[in-house]
Structure formats: C-alpha cells, structure tokens
C-alpha cells in the first residue's frame, strides 16, 4: 500500500525503505525483550505488565498519524514509531509467557501458554480481514484516485489499538504472581493469601497481619549468582538450546511471514494491473494462508502440547519444515508451472508446521525451565535471539531476493531456510521435556532447604 501511495504503480518500495520498515520494529522488539525481561525479574511482573502495552498504544497511534514534513520524512517518522512499537511488543513476550506459566497448573500449563501465544494467529487473521473490509469501503474511491490507499493503510495500522486498549484494564489490575511474591519478595504469607484469593470465588480483601512473621532466605538474583547458575552446563545448555532454537526458527518464520505479499506476487497471485485488484488479492491471499495454515497450526499445538509434550512437537516441526522448504526451494520453478493451488497448499503447510511446531514451543519452554529469579530474563534472552534471526532474515531477504533478476533468488532463500530448520533439530536436543513437571522441578535446583526461615523475626503490623 505504501508503494502504491508514495512511489509507482508497481507497488514496490525502494529496498532500503522496505528493509528499514521491516527491521525497525524487530530491532525495537529485541531491545524490549531483553530490557523488560530483566525488569520483570527485578521489579515484578505486575509493575511492568501494562507498561509495555501502553507503549504499544502510543506507538501504534503515532505510526498511523505519520506524515511528511520539512524536518523529517514520512519514512523516518514511521521507522521511529515502529521502533518504539517494537520495544513494547518485545516486553510482551517474556511477561505474557512468565505470568501465564507462574499462574497455571501443571496439567494445563502448556495449553494455557500456547493459547496466549495462539492469539497471534487471530491477530494476524484479523489484520488481513480489516485490510479486506477497508479496501471494500474505499473501492470506488481507489479506482478513481490511488491517493485513497493512503487512508486504507492508516486505518489498518491504527486498528491495532482496539484490542490493545481492551486488554489494558485487565493487565493493570492483574495480581502479582504468587511465585514471584514468595521467591523474590520473600513473602510466603502474602503469596499464600493471593493464591487463596485467586482460587476462591469471593474476594478476601487485603492481608492483615497481627502477629510476628518470619523472614525467609532464598537465593537472590545478582550478577554473580547469574554467572554461577548459567555457568553450570546443566543450566547453560538450556539457555543455549532455547536461544538457538528461537534464532533458527525466526530466520525462516519472519523471512517468510513478512514477505507474504512478495511471495504471492512472485507466484502470480497478486499481479493484477490495477493496484486495487492487486491489493485485494494480497489481502485475500493472506486470509487463505492464515485460515489454511497459521490459525490451525497454533490451535493444534494448544490441544496437543500437554499430551504429546513440547519437545516432540518442536522436533516434528523442524523435521517437517526442513523437508517442505527443500521441496519448495529445489522444485520452485516446477511448482510454479503447475496450477497455483499446489504452491498455496505447500506454502500453507509450511505455515501449519511453523505454528504446530517450533513457533509455539520456543515461546512456551523458556517460560518453564528457568528459576523464578531468572525466568523472565531467560525468556527475554531467548526471544531476543529469535528477533536477531528475524533481523538477519529481513536484511538478507531484502538485499538478495532480486539477485539475477526480479525475485530470482527467492527459491535459494527458501533453501537457506531449510538449512536453518535442519539446525533446529539439533538445538532442540539441548532442551528437556517439561510436560507434567512443576516449575520448581524444572529449575534444576534442589528444593530441599531451598526456602529457609531466617533466625530473626520481623514484626509486620
């Protein structure tokens, strides 16, 4: 839409602008994942949850209202707001995962965490539907004047604030997780009270203490403790496994996902001469891909993750994706000569096994296997590794897809994605199966004597 509005009728953005718009949000996300991941361990989940969502609201509105001026171009301001948006999105990864895992029961923890992440599928699908509906509304005006496409992309982008604002109240009023209250704030009684309040139908009000309570000794998060904990191979290999798995996944996931429109054009699905028809077909194509692959993939994981386990689903996903990308990459020209439905099916299968596979499990596992004091930090580092892969994928895709001619290098890029999926098989072997185990068991720390009463009492009124 930006290409049609501000450049020529081919709908193509200059490579530097195209890459800048795509990686600006990813760069912000990487920073947000690390910073908010650490902050949630340092200051508490409740204090941070809602702050990152507020950043998303502001940045989304700012993005939708960007315009050219004498001092700054549209592209400069749009990239700036997308970078800020990315910071907010980055914070959402570790916080949503960790809060869900720390509240969930052992039996349903995988399904609950997967369901949180699976809402991405509905978000992606909704974005495509909003695009179709908005194009329908502006159809006659766009046919007459292409400048009305400028209204469409702003509405599609700005609509993101609707679900965000809806969720804001619930995030600001969510209680602190009992595990953080006990393990980090060292307040066992408040944690017990919070659990009872959450599990009971009636509110119990504030905890009142009219007798002395005991302080407790629990390992605290310090730089020295962080180094000591992760320098042990049994702990360090987990962070390596989750980080590398997320990295190799996102090379393919964002290399494919952020370039759906380019791939649809390459196979001739969106090559209509009039911009409106091309945009319509791209939007409809995105709906088809999401309905056939993305959404079903997410929810298959939700329903099966606590039965099959995280590790089998992740291994299956990487193996199947390696095969599918090899087929798409090496038989690319042959497939394009066949009816278009063949490519759509294969491409949708890739989306299916990305989400019924490592895209969900790489989100779930880091929220389970680290101790409370490093759970959010570990998840943030793992997620940031993935975003680094996404940045590399976007830079590589933007710079190389036209080598040898327009879209001539696309099949070779798909072959490269297959190689990264192959590496994911081996990184998965470093992570444990977390099904039917408590977070305390997964922390690799003996729970005998882990929480100790101190000799001194503290009087709390």
């Amino acid at each position: 839409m930006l290409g049609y509005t501000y450049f020529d009728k081919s709908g193509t953005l200059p490579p530097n602008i195209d890459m800048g718009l795509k990686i600006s949000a990813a760069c912000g996300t990487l920073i947000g994942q690390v910073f908010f991941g650490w902050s949630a361990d340092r200051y508490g989940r409740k204090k941070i949850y809602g702050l990152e969502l507020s950043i998303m609201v502001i940045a989304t509105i700012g993005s939708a209202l960007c315009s050219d001026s004498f001092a700054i171009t549209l592209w400069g301001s749009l990239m700036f707001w997308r970078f800020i948006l990315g910071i907010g999105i980055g914070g959402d990864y570790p916080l949503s995962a960790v809060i869900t895992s720390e509240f969930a029961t052992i039996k349903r923890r995988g399904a609950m965490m997967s369901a949180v992440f699976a809402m991405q599928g509905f978000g992606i699908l909704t974005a495509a539907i909003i695009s179709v509906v908005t194009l329908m509304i502006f159809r006659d005006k766009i046919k007459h004047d292409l400048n009305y496409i400028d209204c469409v992309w702003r509405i599609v982008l700005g609509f993101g604030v609707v679900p965000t604002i809806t969720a804001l109240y619930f995030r600001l009023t969510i209680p602190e997780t009992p595990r953080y209250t006990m393990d980090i704030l060292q307040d066992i009684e408040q944690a017990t009270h919070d659990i009872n309040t959450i599990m009971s139908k009636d509110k119990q009000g504030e905890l009142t203490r009219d007798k002395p309570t005991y302080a407790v000794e629990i390992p605290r998060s310090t730089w020295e403790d962080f180094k000591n904990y992760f320098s042990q191979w049994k702990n360090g290999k987990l962070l390596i496994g989750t980080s590398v798995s997320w990295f190799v996944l996102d090379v393919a996931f964002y290399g494919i996902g952020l370039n759906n429109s380019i791939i649809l054009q390459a196979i001739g699905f969106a090559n209509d001469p009039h911009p409106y028809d091309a945009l319509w077909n791209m939007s409809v194509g995105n709906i088809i891909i999401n309905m056939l692959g993305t959404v079903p993939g997410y929810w298959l994981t939700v329903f099966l993750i606590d039965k099959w386990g995280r590790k089998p689903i992740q291994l299956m996903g990487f193996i199947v994706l390696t095969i599918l990308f090899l087929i798409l990459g090496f038989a690319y020209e042959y497939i394009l000569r066949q009816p278009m439905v063949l490519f759509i099916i294969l491409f949708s299968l890739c989306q299916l096994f990305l989400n019924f596979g490592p895209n969900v499990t790489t989100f779930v596992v880091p929220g389970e296997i680290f101790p409370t004091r490093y759970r959010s930090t570990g998840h943030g580092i793992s997620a940031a590794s993935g975003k680094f892969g996404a940045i590399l994928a976007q830079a590589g895709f933007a710079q190389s897809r036209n080598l040898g001619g327009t879209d001539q290098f696309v099949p070779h890029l798909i072959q490269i994605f297959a190689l990264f999926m192959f590496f994911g098989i081996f990184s998965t072997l470093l992570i444990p199966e977390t099904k039917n185990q408590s977070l305390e068991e997964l922390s690799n720390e003996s729970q005998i004597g882990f929480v100790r009463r101190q000799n001194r009492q503290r009087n709390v009124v």
Side-chain angles (χ1 to χ4, degrees), residues 30-52 55 87-88 90-96 98-99 102 176-177 180 184-185 220-221 226 372-381:
L30 188 154
I31 293 171
Q33 286 164 335
V34 175
F35 175 74
F36 283 113
W38 169 82
S39 297
D41 282 337
R42 178 69 178 83
Y43 301 107
R45 285 65 160 128
K46 176 179 173 60
K47 290 181 179 178
I48 305 300
Y49 211 42
L51 172 60
E52 26 74 81
I55 293 173
I87 292 176
D92 215 59
Y93 278 78
L95 280 156
S96 291
V98 166
I99 287 173
E102 291 181 349
E176 184 57 84
T177 68
Y180 186 88
I184 309 302
L185 300 182
R220 303 302 300 269
S221 59
F226 181 88
T372 304
R373 65 189 185 278
Y374 298 126
R375 188 167 292 125
S376 185
T377 302
H379 195 285
I381 292 171

Side-chain angles (χ1 to χ4, degrees), residues 290-309:
N290 284 305
M291 289 297 291
L292 291 178
T294 305
V295 173
Y298 277 119
W299 290 95
L300 278 170
T301 305
V302 172
F303 294 131
L304 295 174
I305 192 168
D306 285 316
K307 295 179 181 178
W308 291 13

Side-chain angles (χ1 to χ4, degrees), residues 311-440:
K311 195 169 182 176
I313 290 176
Q314 185 163 311
L315 275 172
M316 174 198 68
F318 276 129
I319 292 170
V320 174
L321 287 167
T322 301
I323 296 169
L324 286 172
F325 283 134
L326 284 173
I327 293 171
L328 273 176
F330 285 100
Y332 186 81
E333 296 298 333
Y334 172 80
I335 293 170
L336 289 188
R337 291 195 296 269
Q338 309 308 309
M340 193 180 300
V341 67
L342 176 62
F343 188 95
I344 295 293
I345 290 172
L346 287 171
F347 193 72
S348 296
L349 283 172
C350 290
Q351 297 290 343
L352 176 71
F353 284 99
L354 279 168
N355 297 299
F356 181 35
N359 190 38
V360 177
T361 55
T362 52
F363 174 84
V364 171
V365 173
E368 298 179 305
I369 60 176
F370 303 114
T372 304
R373 65 189 185 278
Y374 298 126
R375 188 167 292 125
S376 185
T377 302
H379 195 285
I381 292 171
S382 303
S385 300
K387 277 300 165 289
F388 182 62
I391 293 167
L392 289 182
Q394 283 310 300
F397 201 106
Q399 296 299 319
S400 60
R401 71 183 180 92
N402 291 325
L403 291 177
T406 303
D407 295 327
Q408 289 301 301
F409 204 73
V410 169
H412 300 298
L413 287 170
I414 296 175
Q415 294 164 16
I416 293 171
F417 296 156
L419 180 63
F420 277 93
M421 296 301 94
F422 181 70
F423 290 150
I425 297 171
F426 298 98
S427 63
T428 301
L429 300 178
L430 294 174
I431 65 173
E433 178 51 60
T434 61
K435 181 181 69 171
N436 294 331
Q437 296 186 66
S438 71
L439 297 181
E440 287 69 34

Side-chain angles (χ1 to χ4, degrees), residues 110-388:
M112 287 181 66
M113 295 179 72
S114 299
V116 169
F117 198 63
M119 293 307 293
Q120 272 194 348
F122 287 133
I124 296 167
L125 179 61
T126 302
I129 292 172
I130 294 299
S131 178
V132 167
V133 171
T134 311
L135 281 168
M136 287 177 62
I137 293 171
F138 283 87
R139 180 180 180 276
D140 293 335
K141 292 181 178 179
I142 293 172
K143 291 278 189 178
H144 178 70
D145 186 354
L146 294 182
N147 286 323
Y148 280 98
I149 297 175
D150 191 53
C151 301
V152 178
W153 75 260
R154 293 178 189 276
I155 292 171
V156 173
L157 201 60
F159 189 84
V161 301
V162 175
T164 322
I165 292 175
T166 305
L168 193 55
Y169 167 78
F170 298 99
R171 294 202 175 190
L172 294 175
T173 56
I174 196 171
E176 184 57 84
T177 68
R179 277 188 171 89
Y180 186 88
T181 302
M182 182 179 72
D183 292 351
I184 309 302
L185 300 182
Q186 303 182 353
D187 194 337
I188 295 178
E189 287 152 337
Q190 182 65 53
T192 304
H193 174 268
D194 290 343
I195 292 170
N196 291 334
T197 301
I198 293 164
M199 297 301 292
S200 65
K201 293 181 180 179
D202 301 318
K203 297 288 184 182
Q204 295 186 9
E206 294 295 322
L207 173 65
T208 57
R209 295 186 176 105
D210 55 5
K211 60 182 181 179
T213 63
Y214 289 90
V216 294
E217 289 184 40
I218 298 175
R220 303 302 300 269
S221 59
T222 63
W223 176 240
E224 280 301 315
D225 183 67
F226 181 88
K227 289 191 295 183
N228 291 335
Y229 179 82
F230 284 105
S231 64
Q232 301 176 56
W233 173 244
K234 66 176 183 178
N235 302 323
K237 72 174 183 178
L238 303 182
L239 187 59
I240 293 171
T242 55
S243 298
V244 174
S245 295
W246 212 331
F247 170 81
V248 297
L249 163 74
D250 276 6
V251 169
F253 183 79
Y254 284 92
I256 291 289
L258 284 183
N259 295 287
N260 275 356
S261 61
I262 292 172
I263 293 170
L264 289 171
Q265 285 178 313
I267 65 173
F269 190 81
N271 281 340
D272 297 81
H274 196 280
Y276 175 86
D277 297 319
L279 291 172
W280 174 268
N281 286 340
M282 286 181 200
S283 301
V284 171
N286 280 324
I287 291 176
I288 293 170
I289 290 168
N290 284 305
M291 289 297 291
L292 291 178
T294 305
V295 173
Y298 277 119
W299 290 95
L300 278 170
T301 305
V302 172
F303 294 131
L304 295 174
I305 192 168
D306 285 316
K307 295 179 181 178
W308 291 13
R310 289 68 157 154
K311 195 169 182 176
I313 290 176
Q314 185 163 311
L315 275 172
M316 174 198 68
F318 276 129
I319 292 170
V320 174
L321 287 167
T322 301
I323 296 169
L324 286 172
F325 283 134
L326 284 173
I327 293 171
L328 273 176
F330 285 100
Y332 186 81
E333 296 298 333
Y334 172 80
I335 293 170
L336 289 188
R337 291 195 296 269
Q338 309 308 309
M340 193 180 300
V341 67
L342 176 62
F343 188 95
I344 295 293
I345 290 172
L346 287 171
F347 193 72
S348 296
L349 283 172
C350 290
Q351 297 290 343
L352 176 71
F353 284 99
L354 279 168
N355 297 299
F356 181 35
N359 190 38
V360 177
T361 55
T362 52
F363 174 84
V364 171
V365 173
E368 298 179 305
I369 60 176
F370 303 114
T372 304
R373 65 189 185 278
Y374 298 126
R375 188 167 292 125
S376 185
T377 302
H379 195 285
I381 292 171
S382 303
S385 300
K387 277 300 165 289
F388 182 62

